Amino acid sequence: MAVLEISDLVVARDPGTGARLDVHRAEVATRLRDAGDERAARIVERIPAVNGVLDPAAVDRLLVRVHTELQRLNEELHMVRRFAEVLRPILAAARQAGVTPLRVVDIGCGLGFVVRSLAASGVLGEDVELVGVDFNPALIAEASRLARHERLRCRFFVADAFALPGHATVYLSNGVLHHFAADALPSFFRAQDRPGTQAFLHYDVAATPLAPLGAWVFHRARMREPLGRHDGVASARRAHGDRVLLDAAAHADGMDVFLFEPVRHANPFCAAMRPVVGLRPALVDGVRRALGRRARGLVTVPAREQR
């Protein structure tokens, strides 16, 4: 049966206008039960509804709480350090190649934790514009509020990342890839092979056999919201394998694609995070030099195929 995440089902938008659509609580609960997930159905049935329609304000408050808890998990997993470790060499190679301006766009940014943390640290340099995009206005509103409160040089938009004015030097995401079905991933990567874009860097759960168990332990210990606990485990169960990611990323024809610290480097007992990386060929040597010894983790073939 399909593995479903509650957060994907409780908000619906018109694909043409982006207008929010009614979501009927009973329909979501039935869909989850049909997928064999009674616990998720009960979680949905506890979300407030008006005349059977999920209360949009209640849903938004719930998703903001869940994403606030996710920020704490990102801190514990040192996700900003992980992004910076690869982004700095990419941007250094882009500068050396004369690329300007430099713009990093976070796809599906949620509350913008990665973008805001990179802005606060200044680790990428003052010449880098930091942008976060998400389709959820409630999350973007909170991300913008936090950025203003923290006086950070970054911006957030309710938008399609590939429809923003101007180009992105680097596209990144954190925990987004598993939300795509395998057959939808090629078009996602193909959209990033565009003029001005030099690279992409997408972190997601490493698809190890014990990742769902590790995710259960980790989310049970660190998250209070039942929706967040459920979806954290579902994310690990939905994670794509290395071969699927590399084959899909290869549809960005103008990029060389790699895994960084693939599954063979991951702890099989936890839901480790690792990225798929795309680089313009002209940047590859410079990025490898900047990574130093860590460049050994930048590979093009999954470990099980290296025998």
Side-chain angles (χ1 to χ4, degrees):
M1 293 183 180
V3 178
L4 303 175
E5 293 187 50
I6 299 169
S7 56
D8 289 340
L9 305 178
V10 294
V11 177
R13 300 193 181 278
D14 183 290
T17 66
R20 192 162 188 165
L21 304 175
D22 288 346
V23 176
H24 293 269
R25 183 169 62 183
E27 292 179 2
V28 176
T30 297
R31 186 173 174 187
L32 289 164
R33 286 195 172 95
D34 288 345
D37 199 338
E38 175 65 29
R39 176 172 171 267
R42 292 197 301 269
I43 292 172
V44 169
E45 288 171 342
R46 291 197 291 270
I47 301 175
V50 178
N51 297 323
V53 174
L54 289 175
D55 180 358
V59 170
D60 287 346
R61 289 193 297 271
L62 174 58
L63 293 179
V64 168
R65 290 198 302 273
V66 168
H67 278 261
T68 300
E69 290 186 331
L70 282 173
Q71 289 188 151
R72 186 164 61 248
L73 297 188
N74 280 318
E75 289 174 350
E76 294 192 24
L77 292 171
H78 304 287
M79 289 309 303
V80 176
R81 178 188 60 78
R82 292 169 182 257
F83 273 105
E85 178 183 23
V86 186
L87 281 172
R88 291 179 67 186
I90 290 173
L91 293 169
R95 290 187 187 97
Q96 190 170 16
V99 175
T100 186
L102 298 175
R103 189 188 206 194
V104 173
V105 175
D106 185 353
I107 302 171
C109 68
L111 297 185
F113 173 77
V114 171
V115 166
R116 290 188 291 108
S117 298
L118 290 171
S121 69
V123 68
L124 300 184
E126 293 295 318
D127 58 337
V128 178
E129 180 187 6
L130 292 164
V131 176
V133 298
D134 201 291
F135 286 123
N136 189 313
L139 298 180
I140 289 296
E142 181 65 3
S144 298
R145 184 192 71 80
L146 290 169
R148 289 193 300 271
H149 177 73
E150 296 158 355
R151 299 182 180 180
L152 300 175
R153 292 178 58 251
C154 54
R155 296 187 295 163
F156 297 95
F157 300 97
V158 179
D160 179 344
F162 307 127
L164 289 174
H167 71 270
T169 312
V170 185
Y171 287 105
L172 62 84
S173 71
N174 185 20
V176 167
L177 296 181
H178 68 268
H179 288 280
F180 290 90
D183 59 4
L185 281 171
S187 61
F188 172 75
F189 284 107
R190 191 181 299 115
Q192 296 169 71
D193 183 17
R194 52 205 298 124
T197 298
Q198 302 299 311
F200 56 74
L201 174 62
H202 300 291
Y203 265 95
D204 210 344
V205 181
T208 62
L210 294 178
L213 175 60
W216 183 87
V217 172
F218 196 56
H219 286 78
R220 189 76 182 175
R222 292 292 184 261
M223 299 193 76
R224 298 177 181 176
E225 288 292 341
L227 185 152
R229 290 176 172 179
H230 173 275
D231 282 8
V233 177
S235 297
R237 294 176 62 198
R238 295 175 68 184
H240 298 292
D242 290 350
R243 185 75 265 166
V244 171
L245 290 175
L246 282 176
D247 287 349
H251 285 76
D253 292 332
M255 301 278 191
D256 290 347
V257 297
F258 307 88
L259 298 170
F260 188 58
E261 294 188 320
V263 164
R264 66 190 172 95
H265 296 292
N267 183 340
F269 294 97
C270 69
M273 301 290 286
R274 56 92 177 89
V276 58
V277 182
L279 300 170
R280 294 292 181 195
L283 300 189
V284 172
D285 288 344
V287 171
R288 285 190 178 277
R289 285 194 298 271
L291 282 171
R293 295 181 63 184
R294 295 282 285 156
R296 291 180 296 183
L298 202 63
V299 300
T300 58
V301 181
R304 63 183 175 276
E305 299 179 17
Q306 294 179 4
R307 303 184 184 121

